[in-house]
Amino acid sequence: MKNTTEGETKYMADNSKITRVLSIYNKLSEGKILNKHEEANIFGVDERTIQRDIDDIREYLDFDSGNSNSGATDRIMYDRTIKGYYLEKAYNSKLSNSEILAICKILLDSRAFTKKEMDKVIGNIVECCALKDEEDIVRKLIANEQCHYIEPQHKSDFLETLWTAGQAIKEQKYIKITYTRSKDKKEVERELKPAAIMFSEFYFYLAAFIEDEKTKENFEVPGDIYPTIYRIDRIKKVKVLNKTFKILHKDRFEEGEFRKRIQFMYGGRLQRIKFRYYGYSVEAVLDRLPTAKILSEKDGVYTISAEVFGKGIEGWIRGQGENVEVIDGI
């Protein structure tokens, strides 16, 4: 039987230490709490050895931060209440479980995607963001809602179209689309200058400018300076053209301000409306109409004004019944 040489013993000891240190570091990186006594039992060493391993990792992290441009470093911290070590990250790249749960719930409630796309998106979020030993908890909390998810009626996979349009906006390039109109289901071609992507009540929309004068003749508002709205799931084809436009930063399209005034995704003129609200939750009105301002309040009745685009507001007002009385604007 071959005797183990001094060099071989040192080699095995060195590799044992490497395995131990990497294991400890991986556990800390995954957000786990490290207990010295437990680790010592796992590797058959004493707690002082584990402490030296932790100190070695601390030394490495300090060295790594000194060579980093940011100067920020992860730190190994000790919590006396749980009697264990944990890694405090300089930049927390993961979402908390509560954040993941909230995002998944919002996505499911949006009903924005087909069942196949929704399962894929949620699966990727949980897999990439949740801590490995807590993935199952997050999945179980959304499992029932995910199982009974009802996809939108259009049943269209449009994420690639969404991305293509987004890239065209970033690169300031014109696009040509084939679009199915809602009013007559007719397919039309449009050359557009894309401006923004928005989401509202089940659907993604593309806001884009039409420069073709013949097409603009049919506009409801002659000389409309605002973009036309297209539902992205109705875009059957999209092609980015080798034709660019230039918009200076000071002249960029303010999609945030536009979004406040187009809550119902109907194009048309910008109008100011004034109405009285008799309902119980004025907060719901203010949330629904971000431009809304309370002008006065008397005996629980609010007088409110708001700026909105198009005729979509009319449907909302009818839905409020006796709670809303229009004073001016419609």
Side-chain angles (χ1 to χ4, degrees):
M1 182 176 177
K2 181 182 176 182
N3 293 326
T4 302
T5 65
E6 183 179 343
E8 288 171 330
T9 302
K10 183 178 183 303
Y11 175 81
M12 287 188 289
D14 289 344
N15 277 271
S16 176
K17 177 179 174 64
I18 292 170
T19 301
R20 198 172 60 244
V21 170
L22 288 175
S23 174
I24 291 171
Y25 182 68
N26 283 339
K27 289 176 183 177
L28 291 169
S29 297
E30 290 172 1
K32 295 179 179 178
I33 303 299
L34 196 80
N35 179 279
K36 280 196 302 184
H37 179 72
E38 291 176 0
E39 294 302 308
N41 286 339
I42 289 171
F43 291 102
V45 295
D46 56 36
E47 292 184 26
R48 288 177 298 176
T49 300
I50 299 299
Q51 183 63 59
R52 284 194 294 269
D53 293 338
I54 293 172
D55 292 340
D56 286 342
I57 296 172
R58 277 177 168 157
E59 190 175 323
Y60 167 74
L61 292 174
D62 289 340
F63 172 79
D64 188 53
S65 68
N67 289 279
S68 170
N69 292 329
S70 68
T73 181
D74 295 345
R75 297 187 302 168
I76 298 177
M77 308 296 291
Y78 182 74
D79 189 328
R80 294 183 182 278
T81 59
I82 55 178
K83 298 181 178 179
Y85 293 87
Y86 66 93
L87 189 66
E88 182 181 80
K89 290 184 173 291
Y91 301 107
N92 190 0
S93 60
K94 289 186 179 291
L95 298 169
S96 68
N97 288 338
S98 58
E99 290 168 336
I100 295 168
L101 180 61
I103 290 170
C104 290
K105 286 286 186 180
I106 290 170
L107 279 171
L108 287 164
D109 192 53
S110 75
R111 291 182 54 208
F113 307 117
T114 62
K115 180 74 165 65
K116 179 182 175 182
E117 282 186 329
M118 183 63 78
D119 286 344
K120 182 178 179 182
V121 169
I122 286 181
N124 286 339
I125 289 172
V126 174
E127 184 177 350
C128 294
C129 299
L131 298 174
K132 295 301 179 184
D133 55 348
E134 295 177 347
E135 279 186 28
D136 285 343
I137 299 174
V138 177
R139 292 186 196 278
K140 286 176 182 177
L141 286 171
I142 60 174
N144 185 265
E145 193 172 354
Q146 193 171 359
C147 177
H148 296 285
Y149 176 74
I150 300 174
E151 65 183 2
Q153 291 299 308
H154 61 72
K155 303 184 188 301
S156 300
D157 295 333
F158 57 84
L159 286 178
E160 287 302 317
T161 301
L162 188 76
W163 180 251
T164 300
Q167 288 291 91
I169 293 169
K170 176 180 177 294
E171 296 170 4
Q172 297 190 354
K173 287 186 176 181
Y174 285 86
I175 60 174
K176 179 177 281 189
I177 67 169
T178 301
Y179 185 75
T180 303
R181 295 194 303 207
S182 59
K183 62 180 180 180
D184 56 11
K185 309 304 179 186
K186 181 181 177 181
E187 286 194 357
V188 295
E189 284 194 346
R190 295 283 185 265
E191 185 174 306
L192 306 171
K193 183 165 69 173
I197 292 173
M198 297 176 290
F199 177 81
S200 178
E201 295 177 309
F202 314 122
Y203 308 116
F204 284 92
Y205 296 86
L206 170 67
F209 293 95
I210 299 175
E211 296 183 343
D212 180 66
E213 294 301 325
K214 187 175 181 180
T215 303
K216 290 168 71 173
E217 289 176 1
N218 298 318
F219 278 12
E220 181 181 342
V221 181
D224 191 356
I225 63 171
Y226 296 102
T228 304
I229 307 300
Y230 299 89
R231 246 176 63 179
I232 289 182
D233 61 275
R234 289 187 180 143
I235 297 176
K236 302 306 176 185
K237 296 179 184 176
V238 58
K239 179 181 179 182
V240 180
L241 304 178
N242 191 25
K243 178 182 175 184
T244 61
F245 55 89
K246 184 68 175 177
I247 298 179
L248 299 177
H249 183 74
K250 66 181 181 67
D251 299 323
R252 71 192 186 281
F253 176 64
E254 297 285 358
E255 62 190 84
E257 291 300 315
F258 183 68
R259 184 66 179 83
K260 290 177 186 177
R261 294 164 175 81
I262 192 161
Q263 292 302 298
F264 308 96
M265 292 299 157
Y266 280 85
R269 65 184 178 87
L270 180 64
Q271 59 181 320
R272 180 178 290 276
I273 63 169
K274 186 188 292 186
F275 58 91
R276 292 190 183 95
Y277 179 69
Y278 297 88
Y280 295 103
S281 178
V282 71
E283 291 87 357
V285 176
L286 300 177
D287 287 337
R288 191 68 179 87
L289 304 172
T291 61
K293 294 181 180 178
I294 297 174
L295 302 179
S296 63
E297 183 270 331
K298 184 178 180 181
D299 299 328
V301 178
Y302 295 86
T303 300
I304 298 171
S305 71
E307 284 187 340
V308 292
F309 281 102
K311 297 180 179 179
I313 185 68
E314 295 178 13
W316 178 80
I317 287 175
R318 286 195 297 270
Q320 301 307 303
E322 296 179 352
N323 284 336
V324 169
E325 176 193 355
V326 177
I327 302 171
D328 186 32
I330 295 179

